[in-house]
Short mmCIF file of all heavy atoms in Angstrom, two decimals:
data_model
loop_
_atom_site.label_atom_id
_atom_site.label_comp_id
_atom_site.label_asym_id
_atom_site.label_seq_id
_atom_site.Cartn_x
_atom_site.Cartn_y
_atom_site.Cartn_z
N SER G 637 -1.13 4.98 -8.00
CA SER G 637 -1.77 4.98 -9.32
C SER G 637 -0.83 4.52 -10.43
O SER G 637 -1.26 4.35 -11.57
CB SER G 637 -2.27 6.39 -9.65
OG SER G 637 -1.19 7.26 -9.97
N GLN G 638 0.44 4.31 -10.12
CA GLN G 638 1.40 3.95 -11.16
C GLN G 638 0.97 2.69 -11.89
O GLN G 638 0.51 1.73 -11.30
CB GLN G 638 2.79 3.74 -10.54
CG GLN G 638 3.49 5.03 -10.19
CD GLN G 638 4.86 4.76 -9.61
OE1 GLN G 638 5.00 4.60 -8.41
NE2 GLN G 638 5.87 4.70 -10.45
N GLY G 639 1.12 2.73 -13.21
CA GLY G 639 0.75 1.58 -14.02
C GLY G 639 -0.72 1.55 -14.38
O GLY G 639 -1.15 0.70 -15.17
N SER G 640 -1.52 2.45 -13.82
CA SER G 640 -2.95 2.49 -14.10
C SER G 640 -3.29 3.66 -15.00
O SER G 640 -2.50 4.60 -15.15
CB SER G 640 -3.74 2.61 -12.78
OG SER G 640 -3.50 1.51 -11.94
N GLU G 641 -4.47 3.59 -15.59
CA GLU G 641 -4.97 4.70 -16.41
C GLU G 641 -6.45 4.84 -16.14
O GLU G 641 -7.16 3.84 -15.99
CB GLU G 641 -4.71 4.41 -17.89
CG GLU G 641 -4.89 5.64 -18.78
CD GLU G 641 -4.46 5.36 -20.21
OE1 GLU G 641 -5.04 4.45 -20.83
OE2 GLU G 641 -3.54 6.04 -20.69
N TYR G 642 -6.94 6.06 -16.06
CA TYR G 642 -8.33 6.34 -15.72
C TYR G 642 -8.93 7.29 -16.75
O TYR G 642 -8.22 8.18 -17.25
CB TYR G 642 -8.43 6.96 -14.32
CG TYR G 642 -7.63 6.23 -13.27
CD1 TYR G 642 -6.34 6.66 -12.94
CD2 TYR G 642 -8.15 5.12 -12.62
CE1 TYR G 642 -5.59 5.99 -11.99
CE2 TYR G 642 -7.41 4.45 -11.66
CZ TYR G 642 -6.13 4.89 -11.35
OH TYR G 642 -5.38 4.23 -10.40
N PRO G 643 -10.22 7.16 -17.05
CA PRO G 643 -10.83 8.09 -18.01
C PRO G 643 -10.70 9.54 -17.57
O PRO G 643 -10.35 10.42 -18.36
CB PRO G 643 -12.30 7.64 -18.03
CG PRO G 643 -12.27 6.21 -17.61
CD PRO G 643 -11.15 6.11 -16.61
N PHE G 644 -10.98 9.80 -16.27
CA PHE G 644 -10.95 11.16 -15.76
C PHE G 644 -10.19 11.18 -14.43
O PHE G 644 -10.39 10.31 -13.59
CB PHE G 644 -12.36 11.70 -15.55
CG PHE G 644 -13.23 11.59 -16.76
CD1 PHE G 644 -14.10 10.51 -16.91
CD2 PHE G 644 -13.18 12.55 -17.76
CE1 PHE G 644 -14.89 10.39 -18.03
CE2 PHE G 644 -13.96 12.44 -18.89
CZ PHE G 644 -14.83 11.35 -19.03
N VAL G 645 -9.32 12.18 -14.27
CA VAL G 645 -8.52 12.32 -13.05
C VAL G 645 -8.74 13.71 -12.48
O VAL G 645 -8.72 14.71 -13.22
CB VAL G 645 -7.02 12.09 -13.33
CG1 VAL G 645 -6.16 12.56 -12.16
CG2 VAL G 645 -6.75 10.62 -13.63
N VAL G 646 -8.95 13.79 -11.17
CA VAL G 646 -9.02 15.07 -10.45
C VAL G 646 -8.00 15.02 -9.33
O VAL G 646 -7.86 13.99 -8.65
CB VAL G 646 -10.43 15.31 -9.86
CG1 VAL G 646 -10.50 16.71 -9.24
CG2 VAL G 646 -11.50 15.15 -10.91
N ALA G 647 -7.29 16.12 -9.12
CA ALA G 647 -6.23 16.11 -8.11
C ALA G 647 -6.10 17.47 -7.45
O ALA G 647 -6.17 18.50 -8.12
CB ALA G 647 -4.89 15.71 -8.73
N PRO G 648 -5.87 17.49 -6.12
CA PRO G 648 -5.56 18.74 -5.42
C PRO G 648 -4.07 19.06 -5.56
O PRO G 648 -3.22 18.16 -5.52
CB PRO G 648 -5.91 18.42 -3.97
CG PRO G 648 -5.64 16.94 -3.84
CD PRO G 648 -5.95 16.34 -5.19
N ILE G 649 -3.75 20.32 -5.74
CA ILE G 649 -2.36 20.76 -5.81
C ILE G 649 -2.21 21.93 -4.84
O ILE G 649 -2.53 23.07 -5.16
CB ILE G 649 -1.97 21.21 -7.24
CG1 ILE G 649 -2.09 20.04 -8.21
CG2 ILE G 649 -0.55 21.76 -7.26
CD1 ILE G 649 -1.06 18.95 -8.00
N VAL G 650 -1.77 21.64 -3.62
CA VAL G 650 -1.58 22.68 -2.61
C VAL G 650 -0.26 22.42 -1.90
O VAL G 650 0.23 21.30 -1.85
CB VAL G 650 -2.73 22.72 -1.58
CG1 VAL G 650 -4.05 23.03 -2.25
CG2 VAL G 650 -2.82 21.40 -0.82
N ALA G 651 0.30 23.47 -1.33
CA ALA G 651 1.60 23.38 -0.68
C ALA G 651 1.46 23.12 0.81
O ALA G 651 2.11 23.75 1.64
CB ALA G 651 2.41 24.65 -0.92
N GLU G 652 0.56 22.20 1.19
CA GLU G 652 0.45 21.81 2.59
C GLU G 652 1.77 21.19 3.04
O GLU G 652 2.44 20.49 2.28
CB GLU G 652 -0.68 20.78 2.77
CG GLU G 652 -2.07 21.38 2.78
CD GLU G 652 -3.11 20.36 3.21
OE1 GLU G 652 -3.50 19.53 2.37
OE2 GLU G 652 -3.54 20.42 4.37
N SER G 653 2.13 21.37 4.31
CA SER G 653 3.37 20.84 4.88
C SER G 653 4.59 21.22 4.03
O SER G 653 5.54 20.45 3.89
CB SER G 653 3.29 19.31 5.01
OG SER G 653 2.18 18.93 5.79
N GLY G 654 4.54 22.42 3.43
CA GLY G 654 5.65 22.87 2.62
C GLY G 654 5.69 22.24 1.25
O GLY G 654 6.63 22.45 0.49
N GLY G 655 4.65 21.45 0.92
CA GLY G 655 4.61 20.81 -0.40
C GLY G 655 5.76 19.85 -0.61
O GLY G 655 6.32 19.74 -1.71
N ILE G 656 6.12 19.09 0.44
CA ILE G 656 7.32 18.25 0.36
C ILE G 656 7.22 17.17 -0.72
O ILE G 656 8.24 16.70 -1.22
CB ILE G 656 7.62 17.59 1.72
CG1 ILE G 656 6.41 16.76 2.20
CG2 ILE G 656 8.00 18.63 2.76
CD1 ILE G 656 6.68 15.97 3.47
N MET G 657 6.00 16.78 -1.10
CA MET G 657 5.86 15.74 -2.11
C MET G 657 5.76 16.32 -3.52
O MET G 657 5.81 15.56 -4.50
CB MET G 657 4.61 14.89 -1.83
CG MET G 657 4.68 14.10 -0.54
SD MET G 657 6.06 12.94 -0.50
CE MET G 657 5.57 11.80 -1.79
N LEU G 658 5.60 17.63 -3.64
CA LEU G 658 5.41 18.23 -4.96
C LEU G 658 6.74 18.31 -5.70
O LEU G 658 7.65 19.04 -5.31
CB LEU G 658 4.80 19.63 -4.81
CG LEU G 658 3.38 19.68 -4.25
CD1 LEU G 658 2.92 21.12 -4.12
CD2 LEU G 658 2.41 18.89 -5.13
N ARG G 659 6.84 17.56 -6.77
CA ARG G 659 8.03 17.59 -7.61
C ARG G 659 7.64 17.14 -9.02
O ARG G 659 6.56 16.62 -9.25
CB ARG G 659 9.15 16.72 -7.04
CG ARG G 659 8.78 15.29 -6.76
CD ARG G 659 9.91 14.63 -5.97
NE ARG G 659 9.70 13.19 -5.80
CZ ARG G 659 8.98 12.64 -4.86
NH1 ARG G 659 8.35 13.42 -3.99
NH2 ARG G 659 8.87 11.33 -4.77
N ARG G 660 8.56 17.34 -9.94
CA ARG G 660 8.23 17.18 -11.36
C ARG G 660 7.78 15.76 -11.70
O ARG G 660 6.78 15.58 -12.41
CB ARG G 660 9.44 17.57 -12.21
CG ARG G 660 9.13 17.60 -13.71
CD ARG G 660 10.37 18.00 -14.50
NE ARG G 660 10.85 19.31 -14.08
CZ ARG G 660 12.03 19.81 -14.38
NH1 ARG G 660 12.90 19.08 -15.08
NH2 ARG G 660 12.39 21.01 -13.97
N LYS G 661 8.49 14.76 -11.23
CA LYS G 661 8.12 13.38 -11.57
C LYS G 661 6.74 13.02 -11.06
O LYS G 661 5.99 12.29 -11.71
CB LYS G 661 9.17 12.40 -11.03
CG LYS G 661 10.45 12.37 -11.85
CD LYS G 661 11.33 11.19 -11.46
CE LYS G 661 12.53 11.09 -12.40
NZ LYS G 661 13.36 9.89 -12.12
#
Side-chain angles (χ1 to χ4, degrees):
S637 74
Q638 284 181 271
S640 299
E641 194 173 60
Y642 312 95
F644 307 96
V645 166
V646 185
I649 298 291
V650 298
E652 282 190 280
S653 303
I656 57 174
M657 295 300 294
L658 294 178
R659 55 190 187 275
R660 187 180 301 166
K661 284 192 174 185

